[in-house]
Amino acid sequence: MTVPTAPPPAEAPGGGPEKIDAETRVELYRTMVLVRAFEEAMLREYHADKGPGFDIGKGLVPGEMHLAAGQEPVAAGVCAHLSTDDAVTATHRPHHFAIAHGIDLRRMTAEIFGRETGLGRGRGGHMHLFDPQTHFSCSGIIAEGYPPALGQAFAFQRRGTDRIAVAVTGEGAANQGAFHESLNLAALWKLPVVFIVEDNDWGISVPRSASTSVPSNAARAAAYDMPGERVEDNAVEAVYAAAGRAVARARAGDGPSLIEVHTLRLWGHFEGDAQGYRKDIEDVPGRDPIPTYERTLREAGLLDDDAVSQLRASAAAHVEDAVTFAKDSPAPDPAEALRYVFAGGTS
Amino acid sequence: MTATAETHRLTTAKAMVDGIAAEMERDPSVFYLGEDVGAYGGIFGSSTGLLDRFGATRVIDTPISETAFIGLAVGAAVEGMRPIVELMFVDFFGVCMDQIYNHMAKISYESGGNVRVPMVLTTAVGGGYSDGAQHSQCLWGTFAHLPGMKVVVPSNPYDAKGLMISAIRDDSPVVYMFHKGVMGLAWMAKNRRAIDEVPDEAYTVPIGKARIARPGAAVTVVTVSLSVHHTLDVAEKLAGEGIDVEVIDLRSLVPLDRDAIVTSVRKTGRLVVVDEDYLSFGLSGEVVASVTDVDPSLLRAPVARVAVPDVPIPYAHSLEYAVLPRHDRIEAAIRDVAAA
């Protein structure tokens, strides 16, 4: 594991899941800083050699790139309750959840760079990260990561463990059939799943007001007889508290919960997105959750200049090590393009 | 199978269930889920008796919610279980295809072989009983076209059991397509080959190996599923007239046993393909290309393809029989190719 996580609060003697200690608060901040360091490095590497002009298929990191800057509180707050025995299924914007869940940063970066040392040996790319060690996966098709998460939860339940699955979508995906089918089946079979909706206000260019009939997707949980909770302010500790309740419920065998977090897409839907459609662009930087949380922790006396510098330097070193590893790794052999279609490496 | 092995006469449906039961007995990670697979026993008898034998924790009725429960099977397989999940009619794949071709079929490759998806997707295919355009398709060409899933299509009881056991033991996803017309159902017209002696023991039929259903020297007919039965009927009739037909039952579309096709055509020089799926862009063209890619001069006569002529399967009996590959069309095609 690359990111130390707090023990599940449900297991902490004397404390409810909402209780948050100083160490956990700093850990949440550390996770967010690491994620941001990674996304900034991807931004840099992605755009470094796309020119002249902008050619999406050019460069060391080709293809679409969906970065999660601004959405760190969701991943940090949820994954703080998980161990790598638990499953996480993220979206096409997966890096923050992958990192917060403890994925190997070198192998994830190598996959994004399309290298043989990557998680998928360069066959997957940034929207298709699969890590059996941390039970992490993601999907480029919105809402369609939910059903496989049910299956992971089903397997955990059948084996009599208290392991759980966390399934993430965006608010636009909550209008897909797979979302509703999954909530129904998970509630029906009391599967240990925590459903997370990241409401970043935008389904690519379409505002949620133009896509979604309810003010809160958390309200939709009522239709499936499960708890639904909306966290309004992209605050990591509020996410942490809500997730603590949902995770404890799932581990106890009481079934699924739904949490929607009103978060923030700091950058475009994908890199290269000029965001001409976006009306809130002026005040977006002011809503960045990381400086906000940093202030909170400074005021609480948990962080000072030195601690912040050290955390940032450590995150940067960790990320640059992964980027260097990726760049130094070989590209997959074109002669092996057909390998791994089937198990055992056959085509 | 050894000469001393115990056998019983089983329908294809019962042989399929026999294979599932054998594996459920052997491996606790195997379970069966789908719509009406519990007390009903599967609309086409694909799970009859399994609930009584293995209980509701391993033979699981699902809501009508294919995306959720097929996706659930994918996730359970990723975690090392071996689900068998039934899509009641293949025609329904439209409501859940993302889970099948974007998830079930691609995870192995996307993960660079680090994640396995050992699951079986069973589904009923085929027409011939006036069930109309949304309940009568075969569509195996669609699944075979999309990489990452093996596709097996048994035509008889022996293969139904052996291919099922192979499919369950396979570490890759396998689509197991059973034609309603070969299952030997009490309420549907039966071919006499839909019931046969089947060994009691567990045995495997290798996936990717075609079977010579009838050896012959004059014309090769390559086919699959119910069309194997029709073709064998025709071949027996034509044998009396001196037209010696070799019938190849592919049994598996992915992998496709191209060697068996080429070997037979090398012998006969003449090829007919019979396919109950749509004509264009499908199995029949693939079989022909399997020969011409190797050596077009193996063919001493033009090839004939007997398939559904790119039309939704009609309802009225007269129309449906006009477009399905049935005895009359198969016979005419073989006669033409034999005479050319």
Side-chain angles (χ1 to χ4, degrees):
Chain A
M1 270 179 69
T2 52
V3 181
T5 56
E11 294 168 14
E18 295 85 357
K19 198 108 169 111
I20 183 160
D21 57 32
E23 191 187 344
T24 304
R25 298 178 84 185
V26 175
E27 276 309 314
L28 293 172
Y29 176 76
R30 186 201 306 275
T31 301
M32 295 203 295
V33 167
L34 178 61
V35 170
R36 182 65 59 84
F38 182 81
E39 297 293 57
E40 285 173 346
M42 284 305 103
L43 191 69
R44 180 191 74 212
E45 296 297 329
Y46 184 80
H47 287 287
D49 44 9
K50 284 279 182 289
F54 178 83
D55 181 342
I56 194 169
K58 270 186 74 177
L60 284 173
V61 183
E64 277 188 80
M65 177 56 64
H66 313 82
L67 296 174
Q71 299 184 195
E72 296 90 348
V74 193
V78 170
C79 293
H81 298 284
L82 308 179
S83 84
T84 51
D85 284 340
D86 298 310
V88 172
T89 299
T91 70
H92 60 287
R93 195 182 305 286
H95 304 159
H96 54 325
F97 267 95
I99 293 169
H101 192 44
I103 208 165
D104 184 296
L105 205 59
R106 283 184 161 194
R107 295 191 64 209
M108 170 170 143
T109 309
E111 184 58 29
I112 294 168
F113 276 71
R115 302 305 167 112
E116 183 66 27
T117 53
L119 289 166
R121 297 182 161 102
R123 272 77 172 169
H126 110 101
M127 285 189 279
H128 312 111
L129 303 167
F130 292 89
D131 179 27
Q133 265 69 53
T134 59
H135 304 269
F136 181 86
S137 55
C138 53
S139 169
I141 315 286
I142 66 160
E144 298 287 344
Y146 266 32
L150 302 184
Q152 293 178 292
F154 178 91
F156 298 156
Q157 183 191 60
R158 281 301 163 96
R159 288 173 179 152
T161 71
D162 70 346
R163 298 162 64 187
I164 69 164
V166 171
V168 187
T169 66
E171 91 288 342
N175 300 310
Q176 278 276 23
F179 174 89
H180 295 275
E181 287 191 29
S182 297
L183 263 60
N184 178 63
L185 193 57
L188 185 71
W189 291 357
K190 276 199 181 323
L191 296 173
V193 188
V194 175
F195 296 111
I196 304 291
V197 178
E198 294 183 285
D199 173 13
N200 65 17
D201 287 323
W202 297 97
I204 307 185
S205 68
V206 176
R208 65 167 289 138
S209 60
S211 71
T212 304
S213 63
V214 290
S216 164
N217 278 301
R220 288 173 155 169
Y224 304 100
D225 197 24
M226 72 174 73
E229 190 168 350
R230 182 172 160 96
V231 176
E232 285 294 352
D233 54 4
N234 205 22
V236 65
E237 291 186 11
V239 176
Y240 178 83
R245 291 185 282 276
V247 168
R249 181 178 142 84
R251 288 202 201 284
D254 294 333
S257 308
L258 173 67
I259 297 168
E260 180 168 68
V261 181
H262 189 202
T263 188
L264 172 72
R265 200 185 80 202
L266 201 50
W267 302 336
H269 167 70
F270 50 83
E271 285 313 309
D273 175 6
Q275 300 195 84
Y277 52 86
R278 198 154 170 182
K279 310 298 180 214
D280 64 344
I281 201 78
E282 294 301 324
D283 75 335
V284 159
R287 290 189 281 139
D288 188 335
I290 294 181
T292 307
Y293 194 48
E294 188 181 311
R295 271 197 302 279
T296 304
L297 295 188
R298 281 175 182 270
E299 283 161 16
L302 296 173
L303 287 180
D304 56 20
D305 287 347
D306 279 355
V308 168
S309 304
Q310 271 180 28
L311 280 170
R312 285 185 184 161
S314 164
H318 192 171
V319 168
E320 294 312 321
D321 166 75
V323 170
T324 302
F325 173 80
K327 286 180 170 174
D328 289 348
S329 294
D333 180 356
E336 299 215 322
L338 303 190
R339 273 189 81 182
Y340 309 115
V341 174
F342 294 116
T346 58
S347 62
Chain B
M1 125 189 181
T2 60
T4 55
E6 291 289 324
T7 66
H8 280 88
R9 282 183 68 77
L10 298 180
T11 62
T12 305
K14 284 185 176 149
M16 175 180 162
V17 172
D18 217 30
I20 296 166
E23 289 309 288
M24 288 182 73
E25 201 74 64
R26 194 178 74 95
D27 182 350
S29 67
V30 179
F31 63 101
Y32 199 100
L33 75 164
E35 294 153 0
D36 305 292
V37 303
Y40 195 103
I43 296 297
F44 302 106
S46 55
S47 59
T48 303
L50 290 177
L51 176 66
D52 288 344
R53 200 162 152 190
F54 296 100
T57 59
R58 295 184 70 195
V59 182
I60 306 167
D61 275 327
T62 62
I64 301 170
S65 201
E66 287 86 353
T67 290
F69 72 74
I70 292 174
L72 183 147
V74 173
V78 161
E79 292 298 336
M81 298 190 81
R82 291 189 175 267
I84 310 167
V85 58
E86 179 171 312
L87 172 65
M88 187 187 287
F89 287 76
V90 75
D91 314 71
F92 302 168
F93 85 82
V95 302
C96 55
M97 195 56 166
D98 186 73
Q99 290 303 322
I100 298 169
Y101 89 114
N102 269 326
H103 293 78
M104 180 186 89
K106 288 181 180 165
I107 288 175
S108 173
Y109 189 77
E110 289 172 331
S111 70
N114 289 317
V115 179
R116 295 182 173 195
V117 190
M119 62 182 282
V120 183
L121 176 71
T122 62
T123 188
V125 304
Y129 60 107
S130 286
D131 218 8
Q134 297 176 349
H135 292 74
S136 302
Q137 299 169 100
C138 288
L139 296 175
W140 42 59
T142 302
F143 291 81
H145 179 69
L146 298 163
M149 45 194 150
K150 299 184 179 179
V151 178
V152 301
V153 192
S155 69
N156 60 62
Y158 183 87
D159 287 356
K161 179 172 176 178
L163 283 171
M164 176 56 77
I165 292 173
S166 293
I168 295 169
R169 293 181 186 177
D170 203 298
D171 282 337
S172 297
V174 179
V175 183
Y176 182 104
M177 309 181 90
F178 56 89
H179 197 298
K180 302 148 211 163
V182 307
M183 292 292 266
L185 303 171
W187 46 279
M188 200 174 275
K190 280 183 287 299
N191 187 289
R192 61 193 154 88
R193 297 180 197 85
I195 182 161
D196 203 357
E197 293 291 335
V198 174
D200 295 345
E201 65 184 15
Y203 60 91
T204 57
V205 167
I207 295 173
K209 192 96 185 81
R211 177 179 71 100
I212 297 177
R214 184 189 190 283
V219 181
T220 297
V221 181
V222 175
T223 187
V224 71
S225 194
L226 180 63
S227 299
V228 173
H229 298 238
H230 296 335
T231 305
L232 287 171
D233 294 341
V234 169
E236 284 171 16
K237 177 182 173 183
L238 294 178
E241 301 177 22
I243 302 174
D244 188 18
V245 178
E246 177 148 300
V247 182
I248 294 185
D249 178 355
L250 288 172
R251 298 199 291 199
S252 155
L253 271 56
V254 180
L256 181 62
D257 191 350
R258 298 179 199 271
D259 289 345
I261 298 166
V262 170
T263 300
S264 180
V265 172
R266 202 180 287 284
K267 178 171 69 172
T268 65
R270 290 177 158 79
L271 175 63
V272 175
V273 188
V274 182
D275 178 18
E276 199 186 311
D277 201 354
Y278 302 119
L279 176 71
S280 300
F281 310 99
L283 174 66
S284 61
E286 192 60 37
V287 169
V288 176
S290 298
V291 176
T292 55
D293 284 353
V294 172
D295 183 357
S297 71
L298 293 179
L299 293 163
R300 296 202 297 270
V303 170
R305 294 192 284 159
V306 185
V308 174
D310 302 338
V311 61
I313 308 295
Y315 166 68
H317 186 82
S318 59
L319 297 175
E320 185 181 25
Y321 272 41
V323 304
L324 290 178
R326 305 215 29 110
H327 297 84
D328 50 348
R329 289 178 61 206
I330 297 168
E331 182 180 330
I334 295 172
R335 286 184 187 279
D336 282 353
V337 169

